[in-house]
Amino acid sequence: YVNWRNNHKYCSKCGSPVDYVQGGTCAKCTNGHLSYPRQDPSIIVLVTNAESTHALLARSPRHPSYLYTALAGFVEPGESMESAVAREVHEEVGVTVNPQSINYISSQAWPFPQSCMIGFHAQTHHSVDSLPSITIDPKELVDARWFEKEEVYQAARDTDMMGAVLDRQVVETQRANGKWTGCLLVPSKGVLARTLVDSWLEK
């Protein structure tokens, strides 16, 4: 709401100054026009192989070298959530998912700056013996890999032990003290990416 109010001081219909009503969630101009905060839908998806033994996790340039997570992207105008899942996976890692496998899991408001993330699981057509090759989009990612379920399970346990996994200093201190000797961590509990990971691990 803070970003929205800072950027919407005048009516988009007539240019008149606005006041905020309904507890600050609605802008009303002097001519009576109403407007509401914009929310951009985005998808986030955990991709697995057909047998659900491996998950595809990726790392973006803004993440530390040890932190891998699910794929995400914005929904284009006129596009369904399911179509966005298939498109984003193919664009970011060059992998095709089975459209029939796309399954809604959960959602989460993500105010950075104004998104609502809709979380999915999706599977490829491939078995464990023939995991599809990965071709990352270097503008979006620096790496993406297939991880075995046991690897991700251990990474989730290490993440819970570590706590602030986005803080490189915290992680390096744990590594220096010998409390963590791994090379993979996943997002912390409380974010949708971790919900998708945990939901898969529990199956």
Side-chain angles (χ1 to χ4, degrees):
Y1 285 115
V2 173
N3 287 335
W4 174 66
R5 290 181 64 160
N6 286 338
N7 295 325
H8 293 81
K9 299 183 182 297
Y10 300 93
C11 178
S12 60
K13 293 183 179 179
C14 65
S16 301
V18 302
D19 192 14
Y20 297 96
V21 297
Q22 299 179 19
T25 63
C26 175
K28 184 178 182 180
C29 78
T30 52
N31 289 323
H33 300 132
L34 302 178
S35 60
Y36 297 86
R38 174 178 137 185
Q39 194 168 56
D40 300 328
S42 59
I43 61 89
I44 182 168
V45 56
L46 182 69
V47 178
T48 66
N49 64 321
E51 293 99 342
S52 200
T53 59
H54 291 67
L56 197 166
L57 299 176
R59 181 167 68 87
S60 75
R62 66 180 181 275
H63 286 152
S65 61
Y66 48 77
L67 184 62
Y68 284 70
T69 186
L71 300 172
F74 287 104
V75 180
E76 298 290 346
E79 187 177 42
S80 70
M81 301 295 171
E82 293 80 2
S83 295
V85 166
R87 176 183 56 77
E88 283 290 341
V89 173
H90 192 265
E91 286 180 355
E92 293 195 0
V93 293
V95 171
T96 300
V97 299
N98 177 0
Q100 303 303 317
S101 74
I102 298 173
N103 183 36
Y104 169 78
I105 302 299
S106 186
S107 63
Q108 182 178 40
W110 195 254
F112 303 105
Q114 54 204 17
S115 297
C116 178
M117 300 191 76
I118 300 93
F120 295 88
H121 282 171
Q123 294 180 333
T124 69
H125 292 282
H126 300 74
S127 67
V128 65
D129 296 326
S130 59
L131 294 174
S133 60
I134 295 171
T135 305
I136 66 168
D137 177 357
K139 295 179 182 178
E140 297 286 340
L141 304 172
V142 294
D143 192 26
R145 306 180 195 175
W146 289 103
F147 293 94
E148 293 183 3
K149 202 165 197 174
E150 182 57 35
E151 291 180 273
V152 181
Y153 176 74
Q154 185 59 51
R157 292 185 62 185
D158 289 344
T159 298
D160 294 342
M161 176 273 294
M162 196 86 60
V165 295
L166 284 174
D167 188 332
R168 290 175 171 85
Q169 185 173 355
V170 169
V171 175
E172 291 305 322
T173 298
Q174 296 281 14
R175 195 197 297 272
N177 293 337
K179 295 183 178 180
W180 182 59
T181 58
C183 58
L184 173 66
L185 295 174
V186 294
S188 300
K189 287 184 180 293
V191 299
L192 185 51
R194 180 59 183 272
T195 300
L196 299 179
V197 169
D198 287 347
S199 176
W200 173 62
L201 291 175
E202 291 166 3
K203 290 183 179 179

